[in-house]
């Protein structure tokens, strides 16, 4: 009997097709210079529209939209997303330390990843109405879900 | 009973007075069918839903998108008792159409994204929050008669 060894894609990128990855990378190249602004708006929005998320930021003086801590943290989050785009072929390995951070230090309930992802998509629709087509939307939604899954890897 | 602030009430009325139902309804429904393809299970009789281009140009999808927005308008006109207003719609979706109520959130998210694209910067966090609350009440009312 002959067994052929075959390589299997990493679990968290399995649902991302080659087309999805291409779409994400192309779109990201267009928008990446706005990363900090996207992050700031998405985070501002999340804290207002889903107030339960404020519980993670009780140590900030000012949680209002566009405040200094919100802007700074929005930029931090989006640089994480940028990193994920670069590591799109193996998100589990690429986001390992971020997963450990979220699991052991921050202990953010994973349901919140979905909430923040939705708010990022809303901001993309606002800032890039012609580029954020349904095809780009589905690829980005799948990508952010894969990122969330990778971030949840170390939780238990 | 749901309590609306003056801002929330005014915001919802304002949004619905300004949007083009014939654009927003079809855009939201087609986006939902594209982004969450399993929702196509409810539209077997709609013909070609094979890819994004087919869905976007499908006249039955467009027509149904307008029906959905007309349904939302009922809630806008009866904001103080959406639950009662939607009683029959809830029974319809649960008993006749047999739609999994989790799908209501998917369509709601797509509607939010289409509206955000239309309104641009005017879709501030505060306006977004009011719209999200309105959709949450609509979805809860549609779920109400499911048993």
């Amino acid at each position: 009997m002959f067994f052929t060894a075959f390589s299997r894609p990493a679990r968290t990128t399995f649902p991302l097709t080659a087309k999805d990855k291409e779409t994400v990378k192309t779109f990201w190249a267009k928008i990446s210079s706005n990363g900090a602004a996207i992050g700031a708006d998405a985070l501002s929005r999340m804290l207002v529209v889903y107030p339960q998320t404020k519980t993670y930021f009780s140590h900030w003086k000012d949680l209002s939209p566009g405040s200094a801590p919100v802007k700074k943290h929005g930029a931090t989050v989006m640089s994480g997303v940028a990193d994920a785009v670069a590591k799109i072929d193996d998100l589990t390995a690429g986001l390992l330390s971020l997963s450990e951070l979220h699991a052991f230090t921050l202990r953010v309930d994973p349901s919140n990843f979905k909430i923040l992802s939705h708010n990022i998509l809303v901001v993309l629709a606002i800032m890039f109405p012609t580029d954020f087509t349904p095809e780009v939307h589905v690829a980005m939604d799948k990508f952010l879900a894969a990122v969330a899954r990778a971030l949840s890897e170390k939780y238990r | 009973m749901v309590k609306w602030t003056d801002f929330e009430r005014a915001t919802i009325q304002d949004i619905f007075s300004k949007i083009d139902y014939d654009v927003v309804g079809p855009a939201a429904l087609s986006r939902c069918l594209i982004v969450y393809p399993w929702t196509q299970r409810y539209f077997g009789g709609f013909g070609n839903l094979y890819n994004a281009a087919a869905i976007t140009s499908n006249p039955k999808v467009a027509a149904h998108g307008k029906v959905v927005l007309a349904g939302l308008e009922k809630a806008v006109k009866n904001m103080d008792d959406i639950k009662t207003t939607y009683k029959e719609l809830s029974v319809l979706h649960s008993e006749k159409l047999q739609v999994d109520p989790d799908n209501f959130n998917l369509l709601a998210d797509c509607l939010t994204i289409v509206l955000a694209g239309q309104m641009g910067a005017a879709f501030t966090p505060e306006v977004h929050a009011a719209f999200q609350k309105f959709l949450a009440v609509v979805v809860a009312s549609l779920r109400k008669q499911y048993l």
Side-chain angles (χ1 to χ4, degrees):
Chain A
M1 284 267 246
F2 293 96
F3 295 96
T4 39
F6 57 90
S7 64
R8 201 172 280 182
R11 187 155 51 92
T12 54
T13 63
F14 191 69
L16 288 178
T17 63
K19 182 163 172 251
D20 290 331
K21 292 184 199 176
E22 199 45 54
T23 306
V24 169
K25 284 193 245 185
T26 307
F27 183 63
W28 186 258
K30 269 189 201 162
I31 71 174
S32 58
S33 55
N34 298 84
I38 295 169
D41 193 357
L43 200 62
S44 297
R45 213 166 265 281
M46 184 185 79
L47 296 167
V48 170
V49 182
Y50 300 90
Q52 70 270 23
T53 57
K54 292 196 287 192
T55 54
Y56 291 98
F57 303 102
S58 50
H59 54 287
W60 286 354
K61 280 208 185 87
D62 186 358
L63 285 164
S64 58
S67 70
V70 169
K71 270 187 176 161
K72 181 161 175 265
H73 197 65
T76 304
V77 168
M78 286 317 275
S79 67
V81 173
D83 197 31
V85 175
K87 295 173 176 161
I88 202 169
D89 289 314
D90 193 350
L91 289 170
T92 311
L95 299 179
L96 190 65
S97 49
L98 270 176
S99 181
E100 286 173 347
L101 176 73
H102 284 77
F104 304 129
T105 311
L106 304 175
R107 287 173 296 189
V108 175
D109 188 294
S111 59
N112 294 289
F113 298 147
K114 207 166 177 231
I115 292 174
L116 181 56
S117 297
H118 174 65
N119 282 286
I120 291 172
L121 295 177
V122 169
V123 172
L124 295 178
I126 291 173
M127 289 176 76
F128 309 99
T130 33
D131 289 303
F132 195 63
T133 61
E135 291 89 332
V136 169
H137 179 169
V138 60
M140 285 303 294
D141 193 25
K142 287 175 76 174
F143 168 66
L144 290 174
V147 169
R149 231 176 348 259
L151 283 176
S152 315
E153 282 282 315
K154 288 294 179 191
Y155 270 63
R156 53 178 174 173
Chain B
M1 206 190 79
V2 180
K3 285 211 172 73
W4 302 99
T5 64
D6 291 340
F7 173 79
E8 285 164 349
R9 205 179 282 274
T11 298
I12 299 303
Q13 299 299 321
D14 188 57
I15 287 174
F16 279 83
S17 73
K18 292 199 171 116
I19 56 170
D20 185 346
Y21 287 26
D22 290 348
V23 168
V24 171
L29 184 61
S30 52
R31 203 168 269 257
C32 187
L33 295 172
I34 293 166
V35 179
Y36 308 106
W38 54 93
T39 57
Q40 292 169 26
R41 73 189 300 281
Y42 302 109
F43 301 101
F46 274 32
N48 187 3
L49 298 177
Y50 189 61
N51 55 32
I55 291 169
T56 317
S57 56
N58 186 310
K60 286 188 171 170
V61 171
H64 198 67
K66 296 177 196 177
V67 166
V68 169
L69 254 283
L72 273 176
E73 196 186 31
K74 284 197 188 131
V76 176
K77 294 197 159 119
N78 295 284
M79 279 177 75
D80 288 314
D81 199 0
I82 296 176
K83 194 167 62 182
T84 308
T85 307
Y86 271 16
K87 201 165 170 200
E88 282 162 22
L89 268 175
S90 179
V91 171
L92 174 77
H93 282 76
S94 107
E95 293 188 10
K96 182 157 180 267
L97 305 174
Q98 296 187 323
V99 177
D100 178 346
D102 284 349
N103 289 291
F104 300 147
N105 290 313
L106 301 180
L107 181 55
D109 282 352
C110 285
L111 188 54
T112 302
I113 282 171
V114 166
L115 191 66
Q118 293 255 309
M119 291 180 68
F123 197 62
T124 62
E126 292 77 11
V127 167
H128 180 174
F131 192 65
Q132 181 63 30
K133 179 173 167 179
F134 171 72
L135 288 178
V137 173
V138 162
V139 168
S141 304
L142 277 175
R143 291 185 94 113
K144 201 81 188 143
Q145 301 301 324
Y146 275 72
L147 284 164

